[in-house]
Amino acid sequence: KNNISHNVIGKVEGTDPKLKAQVIVIGGHLDHVGMTNGVVFNGADDDASGSATTMEMARLFAVNATTIKPKRTLYFALWCGEELGLVGSNYWVKNPTDGVKIENVVVNFNNDMVGLGDRIGAPGGLNFPTIWDVILKNQEPDVVKNLETATSGPGGSDFAAFIEQGIEAIALMTAGGVGHPDYHDAGDDTAKIDAE
């Protein structure tokens, strides 16, 4: 009740003189639900998996900076307080850092619960077909067959903070397989994560 937490945000500057003012935010949340009766709820799937995926994406952009040069500016965000009501992402969309103007944020991709399953769910893909069409463009057929899109409204995870600001957003979550059997449970541990 009296703790302070922080969002953690990294940036890859866009290379196009005109388009670099446009911002793409890719994120996942750092927190889970804490402890109950002395038992720690680790949150490996929800959402250490999303945070790790976001960091890996940022790492890949960094190590390939000489060959992968995004035209738009990318922000990689690890949000705090998602489980408490999207606290970190709601704060950021109302108080963007680094001089970002919220009207320049063109899309948000939210990695949440990507540690289990054999398909990629994309709630919001049907809401925002322009973005979904870009995702599918030039995509490998074996990837496309494992994508499932759906509609999504405000609520659920950090992408909702962006939708409520009028920003197009898609949640990326794994689906299928065993599902997410330990959702908000003490059994959500790293030993159960399917990293591949």
Side-chain angles (χ1 to χ4, degrees), residues 111-124:
N111 298 308
D112 192 352
M113 294 174 55
V114 296
L116 294 165
D118 52 17
R119 294 189 304 283
I120 300 171

Side-chain angles (χ1 to χ4, degrees), residues 9-20:
I9 301 174
K11 173 183 173 182
V12 174
E13 184 89 25
T15 58
D16 186 283
K18 293 181 183 175
L19 293 177
K20 71 179 183 178

Side-chain angles (χ1 to χ4, degrees), residues 7 9 12 14 29 48-49 70 73-74 98 136 146 148 150 153 162 167:
N7 293 324
I9 301 174
V12 174
H29 69 90
S49 66
T73 298
L74 307 177
D98 197 36
L136 295 180
N146 289 307
E148 295 178 357
F162 291 84
I167 298 164

